[in-house]
Amino acid sequence: MPLISHTPAWKSLEQLWDRTAGLRMRDLFEEDPGRCERFSLEECGIHLDYSKNLITDETMQHLMALVRTADLRFWGDSLLRGDKVNNTEGRAVLHMALRNVGDRSYQVDGVDVMPGVRAVLKRMRAFADEVRQGRWLGHTGRPIRDVVSIGIGGSSLGPKMVCNALRPYQSHDLRVHFVSNVDGTQLVETLNGLDPATTLFVIASKTFTTQETSTNADSARAWCLAALQDQAAIARHFVAVSTNREAVIRFGIDPQNMFEFWEWVGGRYSLWSAIGLPIALAIGPDRFDELLAGAYAMDEHFVEAPPERNMPIILALLGIWYNNFGGADTQAVIPYDQYLEHFPTFLQQLDMESNGKRVTRDGVPVDYATGAVVWGQPGTDAQHSFFQLIHQGTRLIPTDFILPLRSQHPLEGHHDKLVANCLAQAQALMRGRTEAEARSELQAGGIAPEVIDRLVPHRTFPGNRPSNMLLVEQVTPKVLGSLIALYEHKVFVQGVVWGVDSFDQWGVELGKQLAGQILADFREIACSAGVDSSTASLIRRYHMAMSD
Ligand code: G6Q
């Protein structure tokens, strides 16, 4: 397979970008009253309005040709068949099986994975019910009040984001906390004020060898034993989610208290598996099922809908349009919903770990940009910090707005303002303010002509800055499931076009290895041979600080 950048479909998109560089979105809207309707799509409770993009029908046709050139259909079928799509790790990628509430069959090496998936879901359901209904008792016979999930990366970011997003659905007498960082501060601050007799730890780690998670889990166990003074307490206060049964047993967790998942579940795609146990504990198993059902609905849409009406494909191609032809380096994601505050961070891992790759799946260096830098934070706060740069800076920053139409807390006057601000930002990015408009506004304010001349360049907005608007009625478990799956498939489609393995993450390995060596140097109070002078000097400074 040649690099995608060497194909006619890619070349014609390069030419198209140059040819359409002069298009003004303002004009496109004025010329075509049907633009919004034509470039909008409704699926799984999500209304996507992508009309405020630098596109015409011709652009979309060319982008669709690109996705055909990349043979998305082949890769989609491979994914569904359980082929080893993650080729550098030799693994199938079947997170869709985890939310397969329909009757699709998913197999790995000829073995149906669905019975195992359903059995674990059943155990999760029973356990979540026991804890939530106060039937699972701690070592001293008291019900659980706090759940502390210890995990990192894919074993934390998804469940943490979902628990926060669905806080309105949580029971008030069970609080769920997340500890990921090896910085002891996070564990200490989280445990501060918790009662070991009513705290349950969920140790979530696919490999059960991750340094941060093991360290936090060891400290949590010490905290628990210091208070409860009995090794037998571990069985009532620790459960594990992992693929590594031996390591779980070695840690001292009863395998009866282990919830299994499988190597074909990638960390950042694992919130649908037993890694979602904290979610089931927080919102209850019925609502966890709704989350799965939402993702399943999006899976079905992705698999069945033609590319031209396929929401993940459209989002993926728009991203590629700016990333590869418009020179955009980043993608902003701005939820106008405080409960979605961790959504951009979750997407950062999903997108950047999946598509932050510099070689194709065959190991050939690419000569085009792959995964964008994903960033963002909730509106309206974002408007008062970095929006200046999106509006008037020198960079092109495509932006996704996510907006629930109904608030979970309809306080008088709040939601109208939230919605108005979100719509206004998208409008302002698209329209901008011309020099003439800026001038006439200043004139209307009675400003002196020489001051107007000075101010006009600063008060002019170029506009023509693209955004997608994703409207939902409300962020329910089902809608959230669909929203997450939408972005998962978007990332998959982009990875297929760029020809990369979106399911490995070798880039996080080197730092881990080197940290291990440096840690050994700390223990030896020495410095390994061959360490560069900068690192050696930093190690010496740490030694000195520790010996003070
Ligand atoms: C995600 C990555 C990574 C992983 C963490 C935690 O796709 O693989 O973020 O989830 O490193 O790994 P464990 O679950 O094995 O502790």
Side-chain angles (χ1 to χ4, degrees):
M1 170 83 190
L3 286 180
I4 189 75
S5 53
H6 297 184
T7 62
W10 186 277
K11 302 277 177 215
S12 66
L13 278 159
E14 282 175 341
Q15 288 159 11
L16 188 66
W17 181 272
D18 294 341
R19 198 150 46 78
T20 54
L23 284 182
R24 308 284 312 156
M25 271 193 263
R26 263 187 187 219
D27 303 335
L28 295 174
F29 272 101
E30 271 163 31
E31 286 157 16
D32 175 10
R35 179 175 172 84
C36 169
E37 203 185 323
R38 232 182 30 268
F39 294 132
S40 291
L41 196 62
E42 186 95 33
E43 266 313 322
C44 309
I46 301 170
H47 174 87
L48 168 67
D49 175 349
Y50 61 101
S51 61
K52 293 196 197 74
N53 277 290
L54 295 162
I55 54 167
T56 61
D57 290 328
E58 190 187 6
T59 323
M60 293 313 291
Q61 282 156 16
H62 283 267
L63 287 168
M64 292 299 158
L66 185 69
V67 98
R68 277 195 299 277
T69 301
D71 213 351
L72 176 63
R73 179 177 279 270
F74 167 83
W75 288 105
D77 289 347
S78 298
L79 196 72
L80 289 169
R81 267 199 313 265
D83 292 352
K84 307 277 180 337
V85 171
N86 176 357
N87 69 315
T88 70
E89 294 181 309
R91 289 180 184 165
V93 177
L94 281 185
H95 45 278
M96 283 197 280
L98 301 167
R99 60 235 190 175
N100 176 25
V101 297
D103 53 11
R104 271 189 194 277
S105 129
Y106 287 98
Q107 301 196 343
V108 174
D109 296 326
V111 178
D112 183 358
V113 301
M114 288 316 300
V117 168
R118 294 197 176 113
V120 173
L121 274 174
K122 199 168 157 199
R123 286 191 59 222
M124 284 169 68
R125 162 174 284 277
F127 179 72
D129 275 339
E130 260 194 88
V131 173
R132 286 167 58 82
Q133 292 161 12
R135 286 184 282 114
W136 175 279
L137 301 178
H139 187 60
T140 61
R142 292 166 61 196
I144 299 301
R145 293 278 168 254
D146 291 277
V147 173
V148 179
S149 173
I150 295 182
I152 195 164
S155 296
S156 172
L157 288 165
K160 180 177 170 183
M161 179 277 286
V162 171
C163 285
N164 208 60
L166 299 178
R167 217 184 296 159
Y169 299 86
Q170 286 188 28
S171 116
H172 291 297
D173 40 14
L174 188 69
R175 292 175 300 260
V176 181
H177 316 262
F178 290 87
V179 173
S180 52
N181 200 335
V182 77
D183 182 342
T185 302
Q186 199 183 21
L187 184 69
V188 168
E189 286 294 341
T190 304
L191 297 185
N192 226 339
L194 300 197
D195 181 347
T198 57
T199 299
L200 174 75
F201 290 94
V202 177
I203 312 300
S205 176
K206 182 172 171 178
T207 55
F208 229 75
T209 57
T210 305
Q211 185 192 59
E212 291 89 335
T213 302
S214 316
T215 308
N216 280 321
D218 285 344
S219 300
R221 180 174 49 192
W223 177 82
C224 183
L225 289 177
L228 301 178
Q229 296 287 322
D230 186 352
Q231 197 64 33
I234 299 301
R236 304 306 301 170
H237 292 272
F238 281 77
V239 299
V241 178
S242 189
T243 57
N244 187 347
R245 190 181 156 91
E246 287 69 40
V248 168
I249 295 171
R250 263 199 311 280
F251 179 85
I253 294 180
D254 184 343
Q256 303 278 352
N257 294 347
M258 169 178 160
F259 296 84
E260 170 198 22
F261 67 115
W262 307 272
E263 69 160 29
W264 42 263
V265 183
R268 53 197 174 274
Y269 298 88
S270 65
L271 70 92
W272 322 100
S273 71
I275 288 289
L277 185 63
I279 306 173
L281 286 163
I283 62 172
D286 290 344
R287 296 225 157 94
F288 187 68
D289 284 350
E290 290 169 23
L291 184 82
L292 300 185
Y296 171 76
M298 185 54 76
D299 293 344
E300 288 300 297
H301 164 69
F302 176 56
V303 171
E304 300 294 341
E308 291 74 15
R309 303 296 297 162
N310 195 306
M311 207 179 268
I313 295 180
I314 290 171
L315 278 188
L317 291 175
L318 290 169
I320 287 172
W321 181 227
Y322 302 118
N323 189 62
N324 296 108
F325 305 99
D329 291 322
T330 80
Q331 163 77 59
V333 179
I334 314 292
Y336 274 69
D337 180 349
Q338 195 59 38
Y339 284 125
L340 287 179
E341 74 181 309
H342 299 312
F343 196 69
T345 316
F346 165 76
L347 279 190
Q348 253 167 8
Q349 186 196 22
L350 175 65
D351 199 318
M352 293 165 75
E353 204 165 75
S354 296
N355 286 337
K357 309 285 161 68
R358 52 174 287 284
V359 295
T360 64
R361 50 178 56 254
D362 303 325
V364 178
V366 298
D367 58 6
Y368 44 83
T370 58
V373 177
V374 177
W375 60 291
Q377 60 164 261
T380 58
D381 281 320
Q383 292 173 211
H384 298 265
S385 56
F386 53 74
F387 260 72
Q388 165 63 36
L389 187 146
I390 303 187
H391 283 291
Q392 285 189 310
T394 52
R395 296 169 192 281
L396 174 67
I397 301 181
T399 302
D400 283 0
F401 293 100
I402 302 172
L403 174 66
L405 293 175
R406 279 200 295 127
S407 171
Q408 301 277 7
H409 301 288
L411 287 186
E412 181 75 34
H414 283 247
H415 202 58
D416 283 357
K417 288 175 188 139
L418 183 75
V419 175
N421 270 284
C422 180
L423 303 188
Q425 289 301 319
Q427 189 188 26
L429 287 170
M430 183 274 283
R431 284 183 58 80
R433 182 162 58 197
T434 62
E435 216 180 293
E437 285 168 348
R439 187 172 293 280
S440 79
E441 268 184 36
L442 289 166
Q443 280 162 350
I447 314 276
E450 62 283 10
V451 178
I452 292 181
D453 286 345
R454 197 157 42 79
L455 287 182
V456 159
H458 302 281
R459 307 208 23 153
T460 301
F461 286 58
N464 232 21
R465 305 206 160 185
S467 68
N468 293 308
M469 181 66 68
L470 291 108
L471 292 186
V472 299
E473 172 91 6
Q474 199 161 38
V475 180
T476 61
K478 189 159 186 207
V479 164
L480 183 64
S482 299
L483 192 64
I484 300 167
L486 167 63
Y487 278 96
E488 284 181 352
H489 296 313
K490 170 195 164 178
V491 166
F492 171 68
V493 174
Q494 291 189 329
V496 167
V497 171
W498 292 324
V500 301
D501 181 345
S502 300
F503 301 104
D504 61 10
Q505 56 283 314
W506 299 106
V508 294
E509 289 302 318
L510 179 60
K512 278 193 199 171
Q513 269 172 28
L514 295 181
Q517 281 167 26
I518 293 176
L519 201 57
D521 286 349
F522 291 162
R523 290 197 193 107
E524 301 286 312
I525 319 197
C527 214
S528 308
V531 169
D532 62 90
S533 62
S534 165
T535 309
S537 147
L538 296 169
I539 290 174
R540 272 196 303 276
R541 280 177 178 273
Y542 185 63
H543 283 155
M544 273 154 59
M546 288 302 95
S547 57
D548 277 353

